[in-house]
Amino acid sequence: MKTRLNHVRVNVSDISKALKWYEEVLGFENDGGWPHANPTYYDFKLEEGAKFAIMEVKGERSYGRFNFDVEKVDELWESLKGKVEVVEPLFDTPWGTRKFTIRDLDGNELGFAG
């Protein structure tokens, strides 16, 4: 069976804090929440690729690692390195890109490469 990834979601413990962190620290732009009256889920706008979302899940911990391609990885690193928990500082990969990995508020690892 062949598949194509079209949606990635991470579980977070506090949707309001997580949404603020993804928007203010990383610069993501939310594409709406659900349910409308009291959202516990948010999608983020994307240029292409799989949809990325966060969802509040109480009492459960799940950690994942997600990698994002970005155009100006060095600039992003400089803007984030003092504001986030770093898993891997910026480095040159064996396949010719530069990459760093951070942790979000709930322990999920977010890699950025370019």
Side-chain angles (χ1 to χ4, degrees):
M1 171 175 52
K2 292 184 179 182
T3 62
R4 189 179 93 226
L5 181 65
N6 66 7
H7 185 265
V8 174
R9 185 193 90 203
V10 295
N11 296 336
V12 299
S13 59
D14 183 315
I15 196 69
S16 297
K17 283 173 63 174
L19 179 63
K20 183 177 179 180
W21 188 86
Y22 275 89
E23 289 180 327
E24 292 181 6
V25 175
L26 295 186
F28 284 27
E29 184 179 349
N30 91 67
D31 199 21
W34 184 88
H36 296 293
N38 188 22
T40 56
Y41 173 95
Y42 284 95
D43 281 325
F44 294 98
K45 293 183 179 179
L46 66 150
E47 193 170 316
E48 62 181 56
K51 176 67 82 175
F52 178 69
I54 57 175
M55 182 173 166
E56 185 173 271
V57 178
K58 297 291 188 186
E60 291 183 36
R61 287 278 190 201
S62 65
Y63 304 102
R65 176 177 277 206
F66 306 94
N67 292 311
F68 299 91
D69 291 328
V70 295
E71 287 186 22
K72 299 178 180 177
V73 70
D74 289 80
E75 283 182 29
L76 182 60
W77 167 250
E78 288 301 320
S79 72
L80 292 178
K81 67 182 179 182
K83 300 177 187 175
V84 297
E85 181 181 346
V86 176
V87 176
E88 299 171 312
L90 185 64
F91 69 98
D92 294 319
T93 69
W95 45 91
T97 61
R98 292 175 56 71
K99 180 184 179 194
F100 68 92
T101 305
I102 63 172
R103 200 177 309 280
D104 76 3
L105 298 176
D106 288 279
N108 298 295
E109 295 179 2
L110 308 173
F112 296 89

